Amino acid sequence: MSVRAIIPFKPKNPKTRLSPVMSLEERERFAEMMLGDVLDAVVEGGCTPTILSTAPYQLTGVETLVHGGGLNEALNEILPRSEGPTLIVMSDLPLITPANVSEMVSTTARMAMVPGRGGGTNAIFLPNPMGFRADFYGASFLKHLEIAGDLGLSVEIIDSFRLHDDIDEVEDLVEVLTLGTGASRRYLERLGFVLSTENGRVGVKRNPHEQALVGGN
Amino acid sequence: MSVRAIIPFKPKNPKTRLSPVMSLEERERFAEMMLGDVLDAVVEGGCTPTILSTAPYQLTGVETLVHGGGLNEALNEILPRSEGPTLIVMSDLPLITPANVSEMVSTTARMAMVPGRGGGTNAIFLPNPMGFRADFYGASFLKHLEIAGDLGLSVEIIDSFRLHDDIDEVEDLVEVLTLGTGASRRYLERLGFVLSTENGRVGVKRNPHEQALVGGN
């Protein structure tokens, strides 16, 4: 049975913590590039994607559901009606590979999960999602472990930095420029971002003479 | 042949970025706890550890070499004289497991490597270390890739958040409290550290009525 991959996405004013180094348009485009990297990996990994968007959003060939309220409320409407294996994977994981997706959906446990940086949850796979309840935000990794425990689900924690490193902060861009290979990295490079080492610590700087390109790939 | 694991360690005034929440004595003890978690994993993973210390340091049953200068200089004296497979693994990786160590030393490539957060290198395994040159600090992951390229070494990048999350900053303690299972986590808990969620973001706070215990495990 094909695995459905639900990818939460915020097309409008996303990634506000990148505002110090990117304009609104650039942040929206960068979020789309990261979504594109996730979609590529998910499809190559054998899943059928559904974008779960906070606002109307169109991408040829990909189903999009729009929800007006909170992510948890939307997921907790969808999951009880899902009949097949379901992957929930965040859209800000530009280091993801098809092998990561395959590993998740091949778990022999009744749930596979990847913690995000800072206590969050970046991906959940449920061979049978009926009865599961999503509780994203805050220390959601521990909350999801507890929910799995309440349901008696065995859990495999997938040990992958590619699924662990979500991109929220300016300093997170170091990971994309060091380890990324997809559209997100290329977009950062087109915007003029390069690694910059000062006092032994690595950050990013933006080359001021580069064009602020919106819409590139 | 047994794999030698070289573990760089700084016993005096380590982890200065944790100063806002830990005293000097606590930082030194926490660094020892992290070293202990790494030693446990390395030994269970089938390696023979050598601590490469910046100052005299004694731990029963573990060889310690003291170097007075830089880490790279010390490693680049040791590596050309190393005859067998060698793992270099940082001492601030409290999430490490024996399986992580086994995976590294089982690589079929001529080098296995794990990037640290922020462009660094957290672990390198060399089946044959002769000719390799260490270049830690700054964007060392890319530098080590380049050195491997110059030597014509095939490289496997090990995809593990347990080896990727080095602990430097106060916010990194969230990972230890969420995902750790060893002495480092227990020590943080004894010091009164707990997760704290404010405005949806997870951090740590230190319970003020806990004793500042130095020397515990």
Side-chain angles (χ1 to χ4, degrees), chain A residues 118 159 164-165 169 175 201, chain B residues 118 159 164-165 169 175 201:
Chain A
D159 182 11
H164 175 65
D165 281 349
E169 313 272 355
E175 312 305 321
R201 295 175 70 170
Chain B
D159 182 11
H164 175 65
D165 281 350
E169 312 273 354
E175 312 305 321
R201 295 178 69 172

Side-chain angles (χ1 to χ4, degrees), chain A residues 2 4 16 26 33 40 52 56 88 105 119 121 132 140 146 153-156 164 174 190 199 210 217:
Chain A
S2 173
R4 182 189 207 186
T16 50
E26 289 164 350
M33 292 292 151
D40 285 350
L52 180 58
I88 304 165
V105 305
T121 309
F132 189 79
S140 69
E146 195 176 323
L153 301 183
S154 56
V155 179
E156 181 182 7
H164 175 65
V174 172
R190 285 190 61 187
N199 302 320
E210 297 280 338
N217 187 356

Side-chain angles (χ1 to χ4, degrees), chain A residues 8-9 39 54 63 66 77 87 120 123-124 141 147 151 164 197 213:
Chain A
F9 183 59
L39 283 167
T54 55
E63 178 191 41
V66 178
E77 272 192 31
L87 175 68
I124 296 176
F141 183 77
I147 291 165
L151 294 169
H164 175 65
T197 304
L213 296 170

Side-chain angles (χ1 to χ4, degrees), chain A residues 17 97 100 103 114-120 137-142 145 157-166 169 171-172 174-175 177-179 185 195 197 200-203, chain B residues 17 97 100 103 114-120 137-142 145 157-166 169 171-172 174-175 177-179 185 195 197 200-203:
Chain A
R17 284 182 257 164
T97 66
N100 292 143
E103 185 184 1
V114 187
R117 285 279 305 172
Y137 304 118
S140 69
F141 183 77
L142 294 177
L145 273 188
I157 299 173
I158 303 285
D159 182 11
S160 162
F161 67 73
R162 295 189 170 277
L163 293 173
H164 175 65
D165 281 349
D166 42 328
E169 313 272 355
E171 65 185 28
D172 298 337
V174 172
E175 312 305 321
L177 289 174
T178 303
L179 299 161
R185 182 199 176 127
L195 295 178
T197 304
R201 295 175 70 170
V202 183
Chain B
R17 285 182 257 163
T97 66
N100 292 141
E103 185 183 3
V114 187
R117 286 277 306 172
Y137 304 118
S140 69
F141 183 76
L142 295 177
L145 273 187
I157 299 173
I158 303 285
D159 182 11
S160 162
F161 67 72
R162 295 189 171 278
L163 293 174
H164 175 65
D165 281 350
D166 43 327
E169 312 273 354
E171 66 186 29
D172 297 337
V174 171
E175 312 305 321
L177 289 174
T178 303
L179 299 161
R185 182 199 176 128
L195 294 178
T197 306
R201 295 178 69 172
V202 182

